[in-house]
Amino acid sequence: MKKICILGSTGSIGTQALDVISQHPDLYEAYILTAYNNADLVIEQARKFKPEAVVIANEANYNKVREALADLPIKVYTGAQALCDVVQDDNVDIVLASMVGFAGLEPTIAAIKAKKAIALANKETLVVAGDLITRLANEYQVPILPVDSEHSAIFQCLEPGNRIDKILLTCSGGPFRKFDAEQIKHVTKDDALAHPTWNMGAKITIDSATLMNKGFEVIEAKWLFGVRPEQIQVVVHPQSVIHSAVQFEDGAVKAQLGVPDMRLPIQYAFSYPKRLTLNGDRLDLFKMQNLTFDEPDTKRFPCLALAYEALHQGGNVPCIVNAANEIANRAFIDDRIPYLRIAEIIEQTMKHIDFCNDSSLTTYLETDKVARAYASTLI
Protein backbone atom coordinates (compact mmCIF):
# COMPACT_ATOMS: atom_id res chain seq x y z
CA MET A 1 0.00 0.00 0.00
CA LYS A 2 1.58 3.27 -1.15
CA LYS A 3 0.77 6.29 0.99
CA ILE A 4 0.44 9.44 -1.08
CA CYS A 5 0.72 13.07 -0.06
CA ILE A 6 -1.12 15.31 -2.51
CA LEU A 7 0.16 18.88 -2.59
CA GLY A 8 -2.84 20.66 -4.09
CA SER A 9 -5.62 18.11 -3.66
CA THR A 10 -8.41 20.55 -4.61
CA GLY A 11 -7.00 21.48 -8.01
CA SER A 12 -7.56 19.74 -11.34
CA ILE A 13 -4.64 17.31 -10.92
CA GLY A 14 -5.36 16.69 -7.26
CA THR A 15 -9.01 15.81 -7.78
CA GLN A 16 -8.14 13.45 -10.62
CA ALA A 17 -5.43 11.84 -8.50
CA LEU A 18 -8.03 11.11 -5.86
CA ASP A 19 -10.15 9.44 -8.53
CA VAL A 20 -7.17 7.24 -9.42
CA ILE A 21 -6.69 6.38 -5.75
CA SER A 22 -10.38 5.54 -5.38
CA GLN A 23 -10.09 3.07 -8.28
CA HIS A 24 -7.24 1.24 -6.54
CA PRO A 25 -7.96 1.35 -2.80
CA ASP A 26 -5.91 -1.80 -2.28
CA LEU A 27 -2.80 -0.11 -3.72
CA TYR A 28 -2.96 3.56 -2.77
CA GLU A 29 -3.97 5.64 0.21
CA ALA A 30 -4.60 9.40 0.21
CA TYR A 31 -2.45 9.84 3.31
CA ILE A 32 -2.11 13.64 3.35
CA LEU A 33 -4.24 16.24 1.55
CA THR A 34 -3.28 19.89 1.17
CA ALA A 35 -5.01 22.94 -0.24
CA TYR A 36 -4.31 26.63 -0.27
CA ASN A 37 -7.73 28.23 0.00
CA ASN A 38 -10.50 25.82 -0.98
CA ALA A 39 -11.67 24.86 2.50
CA ASP A 40 -15.02 23.42 1.45
CA LEU A 41 -13.58 20.97 -1.06
CA VAL A 42 -10.68 19.81 1.11
CA ILE A 43 -13.17 19.20 3.95
CA GLU A 44 -15.31 17.11 1.58
CA GLN A 45 -12.23 15.19 0.38
CA ALA A 46 -11.04 14.57 3.92
CA ARG A 47 -14.41 13.22 5.04
CA LYS A 48 -14.40 10.82 2.09
CA PHE A 49 -10.77 9.63 2.09
CA LYS A 50 -10.01 10.05 5.82
CA PRO A 51 -6.33 10.99 5.48
CA GLU A 52 -3.86 11.11 8.33
CA ALA A 53 -3.55 14.88 7.97
CA VAL A 54 -4.87 17.91 6.12
CA VAL A 55 -3.09 21.21 5.49
CA ILE A 56 -4.99 24.37 4.63
CA ALA A 57 -2.21 26.80 3.75
CA ASN A 58 -4.33 29.94 4.07
CA GLU A 59 -4.43 30.48 7.83
CA ALA A 60 -7.73 32.39 7.57
CA ASN A 61 -9.47 29.07 6.82
CA TYR A 62 -7.80 26.99 9.53
CA ASN A 63 -10.58 27.13 12.11
CA LYS A 64 -13.21 26.30 9.52
CA VAL A 65 -11.38 23.15 8.42
CA ARG A 66 -10.41 22.12 11.96
CA GLU A 67 -13.95 22.43 13.27
CA ALA A 68 -15.47 20.62 10.27
CA LEU A 69 -13.16 17.64 10.84
CA ALA A 70 -13.21 17.68 14.65
CA ASP A 71 -15.23 14.45 14.80
CA LEU A 72 -12.59 12.55 12.80
CA PRO A 73 -9.07 11.50 13.87
CA ILE A 74 -7.47 13.77 11.25
CA LYS A 75 -4.68 16.19 12.11
CA VAL A 76 -5.22 19.67 10.67
CA TYR A 77 -2.36 22.09 10.04
CA THR A 78 -2.05 25.51 8.46
CA GLY A 79 0.55 27.82 6.95
CA ALA A 80 3.20 27.53 4.23
CA GLN A 81 5.72 25.83 6.55
CA ALA A 82 3.23 23.04 7.25
CA LEU A 83 3.40 22.07 3.57
CA CYS A 84 7.15 21.52 3.92
CA ASP A 85 6.68 19.62 7.16
CA VAL A 86 4.01 17.11 6.12
CA VAL A 87 5.89 15.88 3.04
CA GLN A 88 8.61 14.63 5.38
CA ASP A 89 6.27 12.27 7.24
CA ASP A 90 8.01 8.90 7.59
CA ASN A 91 5.00 7.02 6.23
CA VAL A 92 4.69 8.98 2.96
CA ASP A 93 5.87 7.04 -0.11
CA ILE A 94 4.99 9.44 -2.94
CA VAL A 95 4.50 13.19 -3.01
CA LEU A 96 2.28 14.40 -5.84
CA ALA A 97 3.50 17.97 -6.42
CA SER A 98 0.43 19.54 -8.03
CA MET A 99 0.37 22.97 -6.41
CA VAL A 100 0.15 25.85 -8.88
CA GLY A 101 3.11 28.15 -9.45
CA PHE A 102 6.24 29.08 -7.52
CA ALA A 103 4.61 28.10 -4.23
CA GLY A 104 5.27 24.43 -5.03
CA LEU A 105 9.06 24.82 -5.05
CA GLU A 106 9.96 24.68 -1.36
CA PRO A 107 7.63 21.78 -0.42
CA THR A 108 9.05 19.79 -3.35
CA ILE A 109 12.61 20.45 -2.16
CA ALA A 110 11.62 19.36 1.34
CA ALA A 111 10.14 16.14 -0.07
CA ILE A 112 13.29 15.39 -2.07
CA LYS A 113 15.48 15.90 0.99
CA ALA A 114 13.18 13.49 2.85
CA LYS A 115 13.83 10.96 0.04
CA LYS A 116 10.23 10.78 -1.16
CA ALA A 117 9.43 9.79 -4.74
CA ILE A 118 8.16 12.87 -6.59
CA ALA A 119 5.23 12.69 -9.00
CA LEU A 120 5.77 16.09 -10.58
CA ALA A 121 2.82 18.04 -11.95
CA ASN A 122 4.07 21.47 -10.83
CA LYS A 123 6.12 22.45 -13.88
CA GLU A 124 7.21 25.75 -12.31
CA THR A 125 9.47 23.78 -9.94
CA LEU A 126 11.77 22.76 -12.80
CA VAL A 127 11.26 26.00 -14.72
CA VAL A 128 12.43 28.09 -11.77
CA ALA A 129 15.08 25.81 -10.28
CA GLY A 130 15.79 22.97 -12.68
CA ASP A 131 19.50 22.84 -11.92
CA LEU A 132 18.92 22.78 -8.16
CA ILE A 133 16.10 20.22 -8.30
CA THR A 134 17.94 17.77 -10.56
CA ARG A 135 21.09 18.11 -8.44
CA LEU A 136 19.15 17.40 -5.25
CA ALA A 137 17.29 14.49 -6.84
CA ASN A 138 20.63 12.92 -7.79
CA GLU A 139 22.14 13.61 -4.38
CA TYR A 140 19.23 12.07 -2.47
CA GLN A 141 18.60 9.38 -5.13
CA VAL A 142 14.97 10.39 -5.55
CA PRO A 143 13.00 9.58 -8.72
CA ILE A 144 11.15 12.45 -10.37
CA LEU A 145 8.23 10.96 -12.29
CA PRO A 146 6.58 13.38 -14.74
CA VAL A 147 2.82 13.90 -14.56
CA ASP A 148 2.39 16.48 -17.34
CA SER A 149 0.76 14.55 -20.19
CA GLU A 150 3.53 15.54 -22.62
CA HIS A 151 6.41 14.67 -20.33
CA SER A 152 4.77 11.46 -19.23
CA ALA A 153 4.43 10.56 -22.92
CA ILE A 154 8.14 11.21 -23.48
CA PHE A 155 9.00 9.23 -20.36
CA GLN A 156 6.93 6.30 -21.62
CA CYS A 157 8.74 6.39 -24.97
CA LEU A 158 12.29 6.34 -23.62
CA GLU A 159 14.52 3.33 -24.26
CA PRO A 160 17.28 2.80 -21.69
CA GLY A 161 20.66 2.91 -23.39
CA ASN A 162 19.39 4.54 -26.60
CA ARG A 163 20.16 8.21 -27.07
CA ILE A 164 17.54 10.82 -27.89
CA ASP A 165 18.07 12.81 -31.07
CA LYS A 166 15.00 15.02 -30.67
CA ILE A 167 11.96 15.47 -28.46
CA LEU A 168 8.73 16.27 -30.29
CA LEU A 169 6.68 18.18 -27.74
CA THR A 170 3.09 18.39 -28.91
CA CYS A 171 0.85 21.38 -28.32
CA SER A 172 -2.87 21.81 -28.93
CA GLY A 173 -2.32 25.41 -30.02
CA GLY A 174 -4.87 26.71 -27.54
CA PRO A 175 -8.07 28.59 -28.30
CA PHE A 176 -6.37 31.22 -30.50
CA ARG A 177 -4.53 28.86 -32.83
CA LYS A 178 -6.37 30.14 -35.91
CA PHE A 179 -6.62 33.79 -34.84
CA ASP A 180 -4.73 36.37 -36.85
CA ALA A 181 -2.79 39.19 -35.22
CA GLU A 182 -5.74 41.59 -35.39
CA GLN A 183 -8.16 39.11 -33.78
CA ILE A 184 -5.70 38.36 -30.97
CA LYS A 185 -5.66 42.05 -30.00
CA HIS A 186 -9.28 41.82 -28.90
CA VAL A 187 -9.48 38.46 -27.09
CA THR A 188 -10.99 38.39 -23.60
CA LYS A 189 -10.42 36.40 -20.46
CA ASP A 190 -13.45 34.24 -21.25
CA ASP A 191 -12.06 33.54 -24.73
CA ALA A 192 -8.73 32.48 -23.25
CA LEU A 193 -10.35 30.23 -20.64
CA ALA A 194 -12.21 28.25 -23.33
CA HIS A 195 -9.51 25.63 -23.99
CA PRO A 196 -10.46 23.38 -26.92
CA THR A 197 -9.09 20.13 -25.46
CA TRP A 198 -8.21 20.09 -21.78
CA ASN A 199 -10.19 20.98 -18.65
CA MET A 200 -7.70 22.70 -16.36
CA GLY A 201 -7.45 25.41 -13.74
CA ALA A 202 -7.57 29.09 -14.76
CA LYS A 203 -3.85 29.81 -14.44
CA ILE A 204 -2.64 26.95 -16.64
CA THR A 205 -5.49 27.54 -19.11
CA ILE A 206 -4.37 31.14 -19.64
CA ASP A 207 -0.77 29.92 -19.96
CA SER A 208 -1.95 27.48 -22.61
CA ALA A 209 -3.66 30.30 -24.53
CA THR A 210 -0.43 32.34 -24.60
CA LEU A 211 1.71 29.20 -25.23
CA MET A 212 3.73 30.09 -22.14
CA ASN A 213 2.64 26.74 -20.75
CA LYS A 214 4.34 25.08 -23.69
CA GLY A 215 7.39 27.25 -23.17
CA PHE A 216 7.55 26.09 -19.57
CA GLU A 217 7.25 22.50 -20.77
CA VAL A 218 10.25 23.06 -23.06
CA ILE A 219 12.30 24.18 -20.05
CA GLU A 220 10.97 21.28 -18.00
CA ALA A 221 11.89 18.78 -20.74
CA LYS A 222 15.48 20.02 -20.76
CA TRP A 223 15.89 19.14 -17.08
CA LEU A 224 13.85 15.94 -17.05
CA PHE A 225 15.51 14.35 -20.04
CA GLY A 226 18.94 15.97 -20.18
CA VAL A 227 18.67 17.40 -23.69
CA ARG A 228 19.78 20.67 -25.23
CA PRO A 229 17.22 23.37 -26.12
CA GLU A 230 17.75 22.80 -29.84
CA GLN A 231 16.75 19.15 -29.36
CA ILE A 232 13.24 20.12 -28.23
CA GLN A 233 10.81 20.84 -31.06
CA VAL A 234 7.30 22.10 -30.35
CA VAL A 235 4.70 20.63 -32.71
CA VAL A 236 1.17 22.08 -32.87
CA HIS A 237 -1.19 19.10 -32.90
CA PRO A 238 -4.75 20.34 -32.19
CA GLN A 239 -6.33 16.89 -31.95
CA SER A 240 -4.27 16.12 -28.80
CA VAL A 241 -4.10 12.42 -29.69
CA ILE A 242 -0.31 12.18 -29.83
CA HIS A 243 0.76 13.44 -26.43
CA SER A 244 4.42 13.72 -27.45
CA ALA A 245 7.11 11.69 -29.19
CA VAL A 246 10.81 10.88 -29.14
CA GLN A 247 13.08 10.64 -32.17
CA PHE A 248 16.11 8.44 -31.62
CA GLU A 249 19.53 8.75 -33.24
CA ASP A 250 18.66 6.18 -35.93
CA GLY A 251 15.67 8.30 -37.01
CA ALA A 252 13.00 6.10 -35.45
CA VAL A 253 10.15 8.01 -33.81
CA LYS A 254 8.18 6.57 -30.91
CA ALA A 255 4.99 8.33 -29.81
CA GLN A 256 2.47 7.85 -27.01
CA LEU A 257 -1.17 8.17 -28.05
CA GLY A 258 -4.33 8.34 -26.00
CA VAL A 259 -7.47 10.27 -25.20
CA PRO A 260 -7.00 13.57 -23.31
CA ASP A 261 -7.26 12.19 -19.76
CA MET A 262 -4.83 13.37 -17.10
CA ARG A 263 -5.62 10.40 -14.90
CA LEU A 264 -3.46 8.19 -17.13
CA PRO A 265 -0.15 10.04 -16.53
CA ILE A 266 -1.06 10.50 -12.84
CA GLN A 267 -1.66 6.79 -12.43
CA TYR A 268 1.46 5.86 -14.39
CA ALA A 269 3.57 8.04 -12.07
CA PHE A 270 2.04 6.20 -9.11
CA SER A 271 2.38 2.69 -10.57
CA TYR A 272 5.63 2.96 -12.59
CA PRO A 273 6.95 0.70 -14.02
CA LYS A 274 3.69 -1.27 -13.95
CA ARG A 275 0.47 -0.37 -15.76
CA LEU A 276 -2.90 -0.76 -14.08
CA THR A 277 -6.51 -0.83 -15.19
CA LEU A 278 -8.02 2.64 -15.51
CA ASN A 279 -11.71 3.28 -16.06
CA GLY A 280 -12.43 5.75 -18.83
CA ASP A 281 -12.60 6.30 -22.57
CA ARG A 282 -10.29 4.48 -24.95
CA LEU A 283 -8.68 5.81 -28.10
CA ASP A 284 -10.52 4.68 -31.25
CA LEU A 285 -8.23 5.15 -34.23
CA PHE A 286 -11.12 4.58 -36.65
CA LYS A 287 -12.66 7.83 -35.40
CA MET A 288 -9.44 9.74 -36.00
CA GLN A 289 -10.08 11.11 -39.47
CA ASN A 290 -7.30 13.69 -39.41
CA LEU A 291 -4.14 14.14 -37.37
CA THR A 292 -2.46 17.44 -38.27
CA PHE A 293 0.88 18.98 -37.33
CA ASP A 294 2.10 22.57 -37.67
CA GLU A 295 4.96 24.74 -36.51
CA PRO A 296 4.11 27.25 -33.77
CA ASP A 297 3.97 30.92 -34.74
CA THR A 298 6.17 32.75 -32.23
CA LYS A 299 5.22 36.14 -33.68
CA ARG A 300 1.59 35.66 -32.69
CA PHE A 301 2.63 33.78 -29.55
CA PRO A 302 5.81 35.49 -28.31
CA CYS A 303 5.69 33.83 -24.88
CA LEU A 304 7.01 30.61 -26.41
CA ALA A 305 9.99 32.46 -27.87
CA LEU A 306 10.63 34.15 -24.52
CA ALA A 307 10.74 30.76 -22.80
CA TYR A 308 13.30 29.46 -25.31
CA GLU A 309 15.34 32.63 -24.80
CA ALA A 310 15.25 32.14 -21.03
CA LEU A 311 16.38 28.55 -21.42
CA HIS A 312 19.32 29.60 -23.60
CA GLN A 313 20.33 32.33 -21.13
CA GLY A 314 20.04 30.01 -18.15
CA GLY A 315 20.84 31.10 -14.62
CA ASN A 316 17.96 32.86 -12.90
CA VAL A 317 16.30 34.01 -16.14
CA PRO A 318 13.67 31.22 -16.23
CA CYS A 319 12.83 32.17 -12.64
CA ILE A 320 12.36 35.79 -13.77
CA VAL A 321 10.08 34.67 -16.59
CA ASN A 322 7.97 32.53 -14.27
CA ALA A 323 7.56 35.31 -11.72
CA ALA A 324 6.59 37.91 -14.31
CA ASN A 325 4.21 35.46 -15.96
CA GLU A 326 2.43 34.68 -12.68
CA ILE A 327 1.92 38.40 -12.07
CA ALA A 328 0.75 39.11 -15.64
CA ASN A 329 -1.44 36.00 -15.81
CA ARG A 330 -3.23 37.00 -12.60
CA ALA A 331 -3.66 40.58 -13.81
CA PHE A 332 -5.25 39.33 -17.04
CA ILE A 333 -7.62 37.06 -15.13
CA ASP A 334 -8.54 40.04 -12.95
CA ASP A 335 -9.25 42.17 -16.08
CA ARG A 336 -6.44 44.59 -15.23
CA ILE A 337 -4.45 44.17 -18.46
CA PRO A 338 -5.25 43.09 -22.03
CA TYR A 339 -4.07 39.76 -23.39
CA LEU A 340 -1.13 41.10 -25.43
CA ARG A 341 0.25 42.89 -22.39
CA ILE A 342 1.16 39.53 -20.78
CA ALA A 343 4.11 38.91 -23.11
CA GLU A 344 5.19 42.55 -22.93
CA ILE A 345 5.39 42.47 -19.14
CA ILE A 346 7.41 39.25 -19.19
CA GLU A 347 9.88 40.62 -21.75
CA GLN A 348 10.30 43.94 -19.92
CA THR A 349 10.93 42.13 -16.64
CA MET A 350 13.51 39.83 -18.27
CA LYS A 351 15.42 42.89 -19.46
CA HIS A 352 15.23 44.71 -16.13
CA ILE A 353 16.18 42.09 -13.51
CA ASP A 354 19.90 41.33 -13.09
CA PHE A 355 21.24 38.00 -14.34
CA CYS A 356 22.63 35.61 -11.73
CA ASN A 357 24.13 32.19 -12.39
CA ASP A 358 24.05 30.95 -8.79
CA SER A 359 21.66 28.00 -8.58
CA SER A 360 20.86 28.22 -4.88
CA LEU A 361 17.42 28.35 -3.32
CA THR A 362 18.31 31.75 -1.85
CA THR A 363 18.97 33.11 -5.34
CA TYR A 364 15.69 31.79 -6.68
CA LEU A 365 13.70 33.14 -3.75
CA GLU A 366 15.27 36.59 -4.10
CA THR A 367 14.91 36.59 -7.89
CA ASP A 368 11.25 35.65 -7.61
CA LYS A 369 10.67 38.43 -5.10
CA VAL A 370 12.28 41.23 -7.11
CA ALA A 371 10.85 40.04 -10.43
CA ARG A 372 7.32 39.97 -9.04
CA ALA A 373 7.77 43.42 -7.56
CA TYR A 374 9.00 44.89 -10.84
CA ALA A 375 6.35 43.15 -12.95
CA SER A 376 3.70 44.50 -10.59
CA THR A 377 4.86 48.05 -11.30
CA LEU A 378 4.17 47.42 -14.99
CA ILE A 379 0.53 46.46 -14.46
Side-chain angles (χ1 to χ4, degrees):
M1 173 77 73
K2 290 183 179 179
K3 299 183 187 302
I4 299 172
C5 170
I6 302 179
L7 294 174
S9 67
T10 60
S12 174
I13 296 295
T15 54
Q16 292 178 87
L18 287 172
D19 182 64
V20 168
I21 291 170
S22 68
Q23 291 192 39
H24 302 284
D26 55 326
L27 298 176
Y28 307 120
E29 178 184 348
Y31 190 73
I32 296 172
L33 303 179
T34 83
Y36 174 71
N37 201 46
N38 194 338
D40 291 336
L41 183 52
V42 81
I43 289 167
E44 179 185 327
Q45 292 173 340
R47 298 198 71 83
K48 177 179 179 180
F49 289 92
K50 297 178 175 54
E52 175 72 15
V54 167
V55 177
I56 182 75
N58 185 346
E59 296 179 15
N61 287 325
Y62 171 66
N63 286 333
K64 179 179 181 178
V65 176
R66 180 178 58 82
E67 291 168 5
L69 300 178
D71 62 320
L72 296 173
I74 298 174
K75 302 180 183 72
V76 180
Y77 305 107
T78 189
Q81 182 57 43
L83 297 171
C84 294
D85 294 339
V86 294
V87 298
Q88 301 175 61
D89 186 295
D90 290 340
N91 293 308
V92 169
D93 298 298
I94 300 173
V95 173
L96 173 61
S98 58
M99 293 172 62
V100 176
F102 184 85
L105 176 60
E106 290 190 84
T108 302
I109 289 175
I112 292 172
K113 289 183 176 180
K115 298 187 176 182
K116 308 301 183 183
I118 307 297
L120 188 64
N122 172 274
K123 59 176 57 66
E124 290 86 355
T125 292
L126 285 178
V127 169
V128 167
D131 184 56
L132 174 62
I133 293 297
T134 52
R135 180 157 37 86
L136 288 173
N138 287 331
E139 179 182 348
Y140 290 93
Q141 297 184 321
V142 168
I144 296 182
L145 304 164
V147 170
D148 263 349
S149 64
E150 294 83 357
H151 299 99
S152 177
I154 296 162
F155 182 65
Q156 292 177 62
C157 291
L158 295 180
E159 297 177 355
N162 289 326
R163 289 192 301 175
I164 296 173
D165 184 56
K166 184 188 296 184
I167 284 174
L168 302 170
L169 192 67
T170 57
C171 168
S172 72
F176 309 138
R177 178 174 60 88
K178 294 184 177 181
F179 283 34
D180 60 31
E182 185 61 30
Q183 288 175 302
I184 287 179
K185 288 181 183 179
H186 306 290
V187 299
T188 67
K189 172 183 64 179
D190 290 339
D191 296 331
L193 288 171
H195 196 280
T197 307
W198 298 96
N199 181 18
M200 306 172 290
K203 195 268 181 184
I204 192 172
T205 304
I206 299 299
D207 283 347
S208 295
T210 65
L211 295 199
M212 181 53 84
N213 183 61
K214 198 55 50 179
F216 284 165
E217 289 178 2
V218 169
I219 298 174
E220 192 179 8
K222 180 255 191 286
W223 294 111
L224 282 171
F225 307 113
V227 294
R228 302 183 306 277
E230 57 270 22
Q231 290 179 282
I232 308 168
Q233 181 178 0
V234 174
V235 179
V236 177
H237 171 52
Q239 295 81 19
S240 297
V241 172
I242 296 177
H243 295 303
S244 275
V246 173
Q247 181 174 293
F248 296 96
E249 57 185 347
D250 62 357
V253 175
K254 183 187 288 188
Q256 189 261 326
L257 286 68
V259 297
D261 186 345
M262 283 303 301
R263 295 176 307 157
L264 191 154
I266 293 167
Q267 178 171 286
Y268 191 66
F270 289 171
S271 67
Y272 176 79
K274 295 182 178 180
R275 293 186 183 273
L276 304 173
T277 300
L278 181 66
N279 296 332
D281 295 336
R282 295 294 189 263
L283 181 66
D284 185 347
L285 289 176
F286 294 108
K287 294 181 179 178
M288 299 294 104
Q289 298 301 310
N290 292 293
L291 297 180
T292 61
F293 309 93
D294 295 293
E295 291 187 29
D297 185 342
T298 53
K299 290 184 178 179
R300 286 186 298 134
F301 300 97
C303 284
L304 179 58
L306 292 173
Y308 267 105
E309 182 181 340
L311 183 55
H312 280 288
Q313 290 186 41
N316 65 337
V317 180
C319 181
I320 295 168
V321 169
N322 179 73
N325 179 68
E326 287 195 25
I327 294 296
N329 181 301
R330 184 72 254 175
F332 177 63
I333 291 173
D334 291 341
D335 298 313
R336 297 174 62 205
I337 60 171
Y339 172 84
L340 290 179
R341 187 76 180 121
I342 296 174
E344 294 172 356
I345 289 171
I346 295 167
E347 184 173 18
Q348 289 173 281
T349 307
M350 288 174 69
K351 292 177 178 178
H352 180 82
I353 305 300
D354 291 338
F355 173 83
C356 179
N357 202 31
D358 174 38
S359 59
S360 68
L361 177 59
T362 300
T363 293
Y364 296 131
L365 291 173
E366 180 62 21
T367 296
D368 179 76
K369 180 181 176 181
V370 297
R372 285 174 189 272
Y374 181 74
S376 296
T377 69
L378 302 175
I379 302 299

